[in-house]
Amino acid sequence: MARRKAPTNPDERKAVRVLRLRLKDKHARVLREMASAVNLVWNYCNELSTKILEREGRFVGANELQRYLNGASREGLAVGSAVFQQVAEEYATRRRQFKKRQLRWRVSNPKRANYSLGWIPFKARSLSYKAGQVTFQGLKLSLWDSYGLANYELGAGSISEDARGRWYLNVTVKVKKRPKPEAAALADALGIDLGLKQFLTTSDGEVVEAQRFYRDLEPKLAVAQRARKKLRVKALHAKIANRRKDFLHQLSTRLVREYQAIFVGDVNASALAQTRQAKSVLDAGWSAFRTMLQYKCDDAGRWFKEVSEIYSTQDCSACGARTGPKGREELHVRRWTCSACKAEHDRDVNAAVNIRQRGLAWLEKEFATAAKAKAPAVVNKDSGALCAVAAAGHGRPVVGIPVL
């Protein structure tokens, strides 16, 4: 008799995360040869798919592409059949995703302007870890193990190259998700209003000034570009990105540790990036910051939500009256007094408090919905017991009814 599976404990749910670890530079030559073989297979799939579409009027799938690649590992390429199959699957997925007849060709010559950075996909069975090294296609790759890969079950991923010729291992792992606090245990909640002059203002009144990652190095970047020093330009761009990433990681980690619920305004960064403020918007990194908050809250068992920030500046956080500064002509107004309740507000703090209140209202609805979902199960259980009691009186009595 087959054993029934035990019900899954919600506290033991796992999430998939991608770990990025840098490989030692001594493997660059071998990895570049592997990446060239991957490019060859990708371009073959691209050409084959295009010809089948022209001749037969249909798109070829990943399984059919993989059949055409049978025996390719005997042609002396630097990668094996497992990588070929993954390339074919990835190609079919990306073509469906972008809805194109043909995808971009991958270029292996680093001297070409359209050179494709190295990329080697792999499946979980192709990678193993032991004693500080990963084994891939029979090659032992040394790396800086900053995560402790021995504690994880390695999944699928890729090996990729950056603009400076450095190689990284990108591997998926499963991490345990902590349970989120219930309504009664929810102590601290935070609302965040994002900005350009001040990177963020919280509902508690904390102000984090915006950093000038790009603008601080812009003069040096201009000199290197005019001198046509490509390596120097790439190094400066990497330094800008690393400084921004480090700042966002430290700030997001601190907030997740201090608060049990975080609510952020849904400012449209992509739309503002099309305006004259594009350089400041992209330098701030709003989207990356919200992404960090989201997955860190998910892993740490914290609540996170992007809420609508419409009218968050104009609405009074004390009484709800819409008496705040309006329009572009009043953007210079940083402090104002509500004409309805006479409460004084800082513009950004008031917006953050409104965002927090809207987030708590959403959270209250979530708890109410969860409570309603649990209620029918309890009612059905109780009703079953009542029916059993009622049914007991309709059966044949064990002894006769006494004569009165």
Side-chain angles (χ1 to χ4, degrees), residues 254-303:
R254 178 175 67 84
L255 294 177
V256 170
R257 287 175 178 173
E258 293 178 358
Y259 297 93
Q260 295 183 344
I262 299 177
F263 308 108
V264 187
D266 60 346
V267 57
N268 193 344
S270 58
L272 289 175
Q274 307 299 324
T275 65
R276 291 184 298 177
Q277 297 176 327
K279 188 179 294 185
S280 299
V281 171
L282 296 175
D283 197 18
W286 290 338
S287 298
F289 179 67
R290 285 182 293 195
T291 301
M292 291 178 185
L293 284 177
Q294 184 173 11
Y295 76 76
K296 290 180 182 181
C297 285
D298 195 28
D299 292 344
R302 303 288 193 263
W303 291 97

Short mmCIF file of all heavy atoms in Angstrom, two decimals, residues 254-303:
data_model
loop_
_atom_site.label_atom_id
_atom_site.label_comp_id
_atom_site.label_asym_id
_atom_site.label_seq_id
_atom_site.Cartn_x
_atom_site.Cartn_y
_atom_site.Cartn_z
N ARG A 254 19.76 46.76 6.07
CA ARG A 254 19.48 47.39 7.36
C ARG A 254 17.99 47.58 7.58
O ARG A 254 17.47 47.31 8.68
CB ARG A 254 20.21 48.74 7.45
CG ARG A 254 19.94 49.49 8.75
CD ARG A 254 20.75 50.76 8.83
NE ARG A 254 20.37 51.75 7.85
CZ ARG A 254 19.36 52.61 8.01
NH1 ARG A 254 18.62 52.58 9.11
NH2 ARG A 254 19.09 53.51 7.08
N LEU A 255 17.28 48.03 6.57
CA LEU A 255 15.84 48.26 6.72
C LEU A 255 15.08 46.95 6.95
O LEU A 255 14.14 46.90 7.76
CB LEU A 255 15.30 48.97 5.47
CG LEU A 255 15.81 50.40 5.25
CD1 LEU A 255 15.25 50.96 3.95
CD2 LEU A 255 15.45 51.31 6.41
N VAL A 256 15.48 45.90 6.25
CA VAL A 256 14.80 44.61 6.42
C VAL A 256 15.02 44.06 7.82
O VAL A 256 14.14 43.43 8.42
CB VAL A 256 15.28 43.62 5.34
CG1 VAL A 256 14.78 42.21 5.62
CG2 VAL A 256 14.82 44.07 3.96
N ARG A 257 16.18 44.30 8.39
CA ARG A 257 16.46 43.81 9.74
C ARG A 257 15.69 44.59 10.80
O ARG A 257 15.33 44.03 11.84
CB ARG A 257 17.96 43.91 10.03
CG ARG A 257 18.80 42.87 9.30
CD ARG A 257 20.27 43.11 9.54
NE ARG A 257 21.10 42.09 8.89
CZ ARG A 257 22.43 42.12 8.82
NH1 ARG A 257 23.09 43.13 9.39
NH2 ARG A 257 23.09 41.16 8.21
N GLU A 258 15.41 45.86 10.55
CA GLU A 258 14.79 46.71 11.56
C GLU A 258 13.27 46.69 11.54
O GLU A 258 12.64 46.98 12.56
CB GLU A 258 15.29 48.16 11.40
CG GLU A 258 16.78 48.34 11.70
CD GLU A 258 17.22 49.77 11.49
OE1 GLU A 258 16.37 50.60 11.07
OE2 GLU A 258 18.41 50.07 11.73
N TYR A 259 12.66 46.38 10.39
CA TYR A 259 11.20 46.51 10.26
C TYR A 259 10.59 45.19 9.80
O TYR A 259 11.21 44.42 9.05
CB TYR A 259 10.84 47.63 9.28
CG TYR A 259 11.30 49.00 9.75
CD1 TYR A 259 12.54 49.51 9.36
CD2 TYR A 259 10.51 49.77 10.60
CE1 TYR A 259 12.97 50.75 9.80
CE2 TYR A 259 10.93 51.01 11.04
CZ TYR A 259 12.17 51.49 10.64
OH TYR A 259 12.59 52.73 11.08
N GLN A 260 9.35 44.95 10.23
CA GLN A 260 8.65 43.73 9.87
C GLN A 260 7.76 43.91 8.65
O GLN A 260 7.29 42.91 8.09
CB GLN A 260 7.80 43.25 11.06
CG GLN A 260 8.65 42.83 12.25
CD GLN A 260 7.80 42.31 13.38
OE1 GLN A 260 6.58 42.53 13.40
NE2 GLN A 260 8.42 41.63 14.33
N ALA A 261 7.49 45.13 8.27
CA ALA A 261 6.71 45.41 7.06
C ALA A 261 7.25 46.68 6.42
O ALA A 261 7.47 47.68 7.11
CB ALA A 261 5.23 45.56 7.38
N ILE A 262 7.48 46.63 5.11
CA ILE A 262 8.04 47.76 4.38
C ILE A 262 7.15 48.03 3.17
O ILE A 262 6.84 47.12 2.39
CB ILE A 262 9.48 47.48 3.92
CG1 ILE A 262 10.39 47.24 5.14
CG2 ILE A 262 10.02 48.63 3.09
CD1 ILE A 262 11.81 46.90 4.79
N PHE A 263 6.74 49.29 3.02
CA PHE A 263 5.89 49.70 1.91
C PHE A 263 6.58 50.84 1.16
O PHE A 263 7.05 51.80 1.78
CB PHE A 263 4.52 50.16 2.42
CG PHE A 263 3.86 49.15 3.32
CD1 PHE A 263 3.75 49.38 4.68
CD2 PHE A 263 3.37 47.96 2.81
CE1 PHE A 263 3.16 48.46 5.52
CE2 PHE A 263 2.77 47.02 3.64
CZ PHE A 263 2.67 47.27 4.99
N VAL A 264 6.65 50.72 -0.16
CA VAL A 264 7.35 51.69 -1.01
C VAL A 264 6.39 52.22 -2.06
O VAL A 264 5.53 51.48 -2.57
CB VAL A 264 8.58 51.04 -1.69
CG1 VAL A 264 9.40 52.08 -2.42
CG2 VAL A 264 9.44 50.32 -0.66
N GLY A 265 6.54 53.49 -2.38
CA GLY A 265 5.72 54.08 -3.44
C GLY A 265 6.10 53.53 -4.80
O GLY A 265 7.27 53.25 -5.08
N ASP A 266 5.10 53.38 -5.67
CA ASP A 266 5.33 52.79 -6.99
C ASP A 266 5.71 53.86 -8.03
O ASP A 266 5.09 53.96 -9.08
CB ASP A 266 4.08 52.03 -7.45
CG ASP A 266 2.86 52.93 -7.54
OD1 ASP A 266 2.92 54.07 -7.01
OD2 ASP A 266 1.85 52.53 -8.15
N VAL A 267 6.75 54.62 -7.74
CA VAL A 267 7.19 55.64 -8.68
C VAL A 267 7.66 54.95 -9.96
O VAL A 267 8.33 53.92 -9.94
CB VAL A 267 8.33 56.48 -8.06
CG1 VAL A 267 9.49 55.61 -7.63
CG2 VAL A 267 8.79 57.55 -9.02
N ASN A 268 7.27 55.53 -11.10
CA ASN A 268 7.57 54.94 -12.41
C ASN A 268 8.96 55.39 -12.86
O ASN A 268 9.13 56.43 -13.49
CB ASN A 268 6.51 55.37 -13.43
CG ASN A 268 6.59 54.56 -14.71
OD1 ASN A 268 7.58 53.88 -14.98
ND2 ASN A 268 5.54 54.60 -15.51
N ALA A 269 9.97 54.57 -12.53
CA ALA A 269 11.35 54.93 -12.85
C ALA A 269 11.61 54.90 -14.36
O ALA A 269 12.35 55.74 -14.89
CB ALA A 269 12.32 54.00 -12.13
N SER A 270 11.02 53.94 -15.06
CA SER A 270 11.27 53.83 -16.51
C SER A 270 10.71 55.03 -17.26
O SER A 270 11.29 55.47 -18.26
CB SER A 270 10.64 52.55 -17.04
OG SER A 270 9.24 52.51 -16.77
N ALA A 271 9.57 55.58 -16.80
CA ALA A 271 9.01 56.76 -17.47
C ALA A 271 9.87 57.99 -17.19
O ALA A 271 10.13 58.80 -18.09
CB ALA A 271 7.57 56.99 -17.01
N LEU A 272 10.32 58.16 -15.94
CA LEU A 272 11.16 59.30 -15.62
C LEU A 272 12.53 59.21 -16.29
O LEU A 272 13.20 60.23 -16.49
CB LEU A 272 11.34 59.39 -14.10
CG LEU A 272 10.11 59.82 -13.31
CD1 LEU A 272 10.39 59.76 -11.81
CD2 LEU A 272 9.69 61.24 -13.71
N ALA A 273 12.95 57.99 -16.65
CA ALA A 273 14.23 57.83 -17.34
C ALA A 273 14.18 58.34 -18.78
O ALA A 273 15.22 58.44 -19.43
CB ALA A 273 14.65 56.36 -17.33
N GLN A 274 12.99 58.67 -19.27
CA GLN A 274 12.85 59.24 -20.62
C GLN A 274 12.80 60.77 -20.59
O GLN A 274 12.63 61.39 -21.64
CB GLN A 274 11.57 58.70 -21.27
CG GLN A 274 11.46 57.18 -21.26
CD GLN A 274 12.57 56.51 -22.03
OE1 GLN A 274 13.03 57.01 -23.05
NE2 GLN A 274 13.03 55.36 -21.54
N THR A 275 12.94 61.37 -19.42
CA THR A 275 12.87 62.82 -19.30
C THR A 275 14.27 63.41 -19.15
O THR A 275 15.28 62.71 -19.25
CB THR A 275 12.00 63.20 -18.08
OG1 THR A 275 12.65 62.74 -16.88
CG2 THR A 275 10.63 62.53 -18.17
N ARG A 276 14.32 64.71 -18.88
CA ARG A 276 15.61 65.37 -18.69
C ARG A 276 16.28 64.97 -17.37
O ARG A 276 17.45 65.28 -17.15
CB ARG A 276 15.42 66.90 -18.72
CG ARG A 276 15.04 67.43 -20.09
CD ARG A 276 14.96 68.93 -20.08
NE ARG A 276 13.94 69.42 -19.17
CZ ARG A 276 13.71 70.72 -18.93
NH1 ARG A 276 14.44 71.65 -19.54
NH2 ARG A 276 12.75 71.08 -18.10
N GLN A 277 15.53 64.31 -16.51
CA GLN A 277 16.09 63.83 -15.25
C GLN A 277 16.65 62.42 -15.36
O GLN A 277 16.93 61.77 -14.35
CB GLN A 277 15.01 63.86 -14.17
CG GLN A 277 14.48 65.25 -13.86
CD GLN A 277 13.35 65.20 -12.85
OE1 GLN A 277 12.57 64.26 -12.81
NE2 GLN A 277 13.25 66.25 -12.04
N ALA A 278 16.83 61.93 -16.57
CA ALA A 278 17.20 60.53 -16.78
C ALA A 278 18.50 60.17 -16.08
O ALA A 278 18.60 59.11 -15.45
CB ALA A 278 17.31 60.24 -18.28
N LYS A 279 19.50 61.02 -16.16
CA LYS A 279 20.79 60.70 -15.57
C LYS A 279 20.69 60.53 -14.05
O LYS A 279 21.25 59.60 -13.46
CB LYS A 279 21.82 61.78 -15.91
CG LYS A 279 23.24 61.44 -15.52
CD LYS A 279 24.20 62.56 -15.90
CE LYS A 279 24.29 62.72 -17.40
NZ LYS A 279 25.33 63.74 -17.77
N SER A 280 19.93 61.40 -13.40
CA SER A 280 19.76 61.31 -11.95
C SER A 280 18.91 60.11 -11.56
O SER A 280 19.19 59.44 -10.56
CB SER A 280 19.14 62.59 -11.41
OG SER A 280 19.96 63.72 -11.67
N VAL A 281 17.88 59.81 -12.36
CA VAL A 281 17.00 58.69 -12.06
C VAL A 281 17.77 57.37 -12.17
O VAL A 281 17.69 56.50 -11.29
CB VAL A 281 15.78 58.70 -12.99
CG1 VAL A 281 14.97 57.42 -12.83
CG2 VAL A 281 14.91 59.91 -12.70
N LEU A 282 18.53 57.21 -13.25
CA LEU A 282 19.29 55.98 -13.44
C LEU A 282 20.41 55.84 -12.42
O LEU A 282 20.74 54.74 -11.99
CB LEU A 282 19.86 55.94 -14.86
CG LEU A 282 18.82 55.89 -15.99
CD1 LEU A 282 19.50 55.98 -17.34
CD2 LEU A 282 17.99 54.61 -15.90
N ASP A 283 20.99 56.98 -12.01
CA ASP A 283 22.06 56.94 -11.02
C ASP A 283 21.53 56.55 -9.64
O ASP A 283 22.24 55.95 -8.83
CB ASP A 283 22.77 58.29 -10.95
CG ASP A 283 24.13 58.22 -10.27
OD1 ASP A 283 24.67 57.09 -10.17
OD2 ASP A 283 24.65 59.26 -9.86
N ALA A 284 20.27 56.89 -9.36
CA ALA A 284 19.69 56.58 -8.05
C ALA A 284 19.47 55.08 -7.86
O ALA A 284 19.67 54.54 -6.78
CB ALA A 284 18.36 57.33 -7.87
N GLY A 285 19.04 54.39 -8.91
CA GLY A 285 18.82 52.95 -8.81
C GLY A 285 17.57 52.57 -8.05
O GLY A 285 17.58 51.63 -7.24
N TRP A 286 16.46 53.26 -8.29
CA TRP A 286 15.22 52.96 -7.59
C TRP A 286 14.75 51.53 -7.81
O TRP A 286 14.38 50.82 -6.88
CB TRP A 286 14.11 53.92 -8.03
CG TRP A 286 14.28 55.33 -7.58
CD1 TRP A 286 15.04 55.76 -6.52
CD2 TRP A 286 13.68 56.49 -8.15
NE1 TRP A 286 14.93 57.12 -6.39
CE2 TRP A 286 14.12 57.60 -7.38
CE3 TRP A 286 12.84 56.71 -9.21
CZ2 TRP A 286 13.72 58.89 -7.67
CZ3 TRP A 286 12.43 57.99 -9.51
CH2 TRP A 286 12.87 59.08 -8.74
N SER A 287 14.75 51.10 -9.08
CA SER A 287 14.23 49.76 -9.40
C SER A 287 15.06 48.67 -8.74
O SER A 287 14.52 47.69 -8.21
CB SER A 287 14.19 49.57 -10.92
OG SER A 287 13.33 50.51 -11.53
N ALA A 288 16.39 48.82 -8.77
CA ALA A 288 17.26 47.83 -8.13
C ALA A 288 17.02 47.80 -6.62
O ALA A 288 17.01 46.72 -6.01
CB ALA A 288 18.72 48.14 -8.43
N PHE A 289 16.79 48.96 -6.02
CA PHE A 289 16.55 49.03 -4.59
C PHE A 289 15.25 48.32 -4.21
O PHE A 289 15.20 47.55 -3.24
CB PHE A 289 16.51 50.49 -4.15
CG PHE A 289 16.24 50.69 -2.68
CD1 PHE A 289 17.17 50.30 -1.73
CD2 PHE A 289 15.06 51.27 -2.26
CE1 PHE A 289 16.92 50.47 -0.37
CE2 PHE A 289 14.81 51.47 -0.91
CZ PHE A 289 15.74 51.06 0.03
N ARG A 290 14.19 48.53 -4.98
CA ARG A 290 12.92 47.88 -4.68
C ARG A 290 13.02 46.36 -4.89
O ARG A 290 12.41 45.59 -4.14
CB ARG A 290 11.81 48.48 -5.54
CG ARG A 290 11.38 49.85 -5.08
CD ARG A 290 10.26 50.42 -5.90
NE ARG A 290 10.65 50.70 -7.27
CZ ARG A 290 9.96 51.47 -8.11
NH1 ARG A 290 8.83 52.02 -7.69
NH2 ARG A 290 10.37 51.68 -9.33
N THR A 291 13.78 45.95 -5.91
CA THR A 291 13.97 44.51 -6.12
C THR A 291 14.71 43.88 -4.95
O THR A 291 14.35 42.79 -4.48
CB THR A 291 14.76 44.27 -7.41
OG1 THR A 291 14.03 44.84 -8.51
CG2 THR A 291 14.96 42.79 -7.66
N MET A 292 15.74 44.56 -4.45
CA MET A 292 16.47 44.04 -3.28
C MET A 292 15.56 43.94 -2.07
O MET A 292 15.59 42.94 -1.33
CB MET A 292 17.66 44.95 -2.97
CG MET A 292 18.77 44.92 -3.99
SD MET A 292 20.10 46.07 -3.55
CE MET A 292 21.16 45.91 -4.99
N LEU A 293 14.76 44.96 -1.82
CA LEU A 293 13.84 44.92 -0.69
C LEU A 293 12.85 43.76 -0.82
O LEU A 293 12.54 43.08 0.17
CB LEU A 293 13.07 46.24 -0.58
CG LEU A 293 13.81 47.44 0.00
CD1 LEU A 293 12.91 48.67 -0.03
CD2 LEU A 293 14.27 47.17 1.43
N GLN A 294 12.39 43.52 -2.03
CA GLN A 294 11.39 42.49 -2.23
C GLN A 294 11.93 41.10 -1.91
O GLN A 294 11.31 40.35 -1.13
CB GLN A 294 10.87 42.52 -3.67
CG GLN A 294 9.75 41.54 -3.94
CD GLN A 294 9.16 41.72 -5.31
OE1 GLN A 294 9.69 42.44 -6.15
NE2 GLN A 294 8.04 41.07 -5.56
N TYR A 295 13.08 40.73 -2.49
CA TYR A 295 13.54 39.37 -2.25
C TYR A 295 14.16 39.21 -0.86
O TYR A 295 14.10 38.12 -0.28
CB TYR A 295 14.51 38.91 -3.35
CG TYR A 295 15.91 39.45 -3.31
CD1 TYR A 295 16.86 38.97 -2.41
CD2 TYR A 295 16.33 40.41 -4.23
CE1 TYR A 295 18.16 39.45 -2.40
CE2 TYR A 295 17.62 40.88 -4.24
CZ TYR A 295 18.53 40.39 -3.32
OH TYR A 295 19.82 40.88 -3.33
N LYS A 296 14.71 40.28 -0.30
CA LYS A 296 15.24 40.18 1.06
C LYS A 296 14.10 40.06 2.09
O LYS A 296 14.22 39.31 3.07
CB LYS A 296 16.13 41.37 1.38
CG LYS A 296 17.45 41.36 0.62
CD LYS A 296 18.31 42.56 0.96
CE LYS A 296 19.60 42.53 0.15
NZ LYS A 296 20.50 43.67 0.46
N CYS A 297 13.02 40.78 1.88
CA CYS A 297 11.86 40.64 2.77
C CYS A 297 11.25 39.25 2.63
O CYS A 297 10.81 38.64 3.62
CB CYS A 297 10.81 41.70 2.43
SG CYS A 297 11.22 43.37 2.99
N ASP A 298 11.23 38.73 1.42
CA ASP A 298 10.67 37.40 1.20
C ASP A 298 11.48 36.34 1.93
O ASP A 298 10.92 35.41 2.53
CB ASP A 298 10.65 37.11 -0.30
CG ASP A 298 9.75 35.93 -0.63
OD1 ASP A 298 8.80 35.68 0.13
OD2 ASP A 298 10.02 35.24 -1.63
N ASP A 299 12.80 36.46 1.90
CA ASP A 299 13.66 35.48 2.57
C ASP A 299 13.63 35.63 4.09
O ASP A 299 13.72 34.64 4.82
CB ASP A 299 15.10 35.61 2.07
CG ASP A 299 15.25 35.19 0.62
OD1 ASP A 299 14.32 34.54 0.10
OD2 ASP A 299 16.28 35.52 0.00
N ALA A 300 13.53 36.87 4.57
CA ALA A 300 13.59 37.13 6.01
C ALA A 300 12.24 37.03 6.70
O ALA A 300 12.17 37.20 7.92
CB ALA A 300 14.20 38.51 6.26
N GLY A 301 11.17 36.74 5.96
CA GLY A 301 9.85 36.67 6.58
C GLY A 301 9.28 38.03 6.92
O GLY A 301 8.66 38.21 7.97
N ARG A 302 9.47 39.00 6.04
CA ARG A 302 8.94 40.34 6.23
C ARG A 302 7.90 40.63 5.13
O ARG A 302 7.95 40.07 4.04
CB ARG A 302 10.05 41.39 6.15
CG ARG A 302 11.18 41.18 7.15
CD ARG A 302 10.70 41.51 8.57
NE ARG A 302 11.82 41.61 9.49
CZ ARG A 302 12.22 40.63 10.28
NH1 ARG A 302 11.63 39.44 10.23
NH2 ARG A 302 13.24 40.81 11.11
N TRP A 303 6.98 41.52 5.46
CA TRP A 303 5.98 41.93 4.47
C TRP A 303 6.54 43.05 3.61
O TRP A 303 7.20 43.96 4.11
CB TRP A 303 4.70 42.41 5.17
CG TRP A 303 3.95 41.33 5.85
CD1 TRP A 303 3.99 41.00 7.17
CD2 TRP A 303 3.03 40.42 5.24
NE1 TRP A 303 3.16 39.94 7.43
CE2 TRP A 303 2.56 39.56 6.26
CE3 TRP A 303 2.57 40.23 3.94
CZ2 TRP A 303 1.65 38.54 6.02
CZ3 TRP A 303 1.66 39.20 3.69
CH2 TRP A 303 1.21 38.39 4.72
#
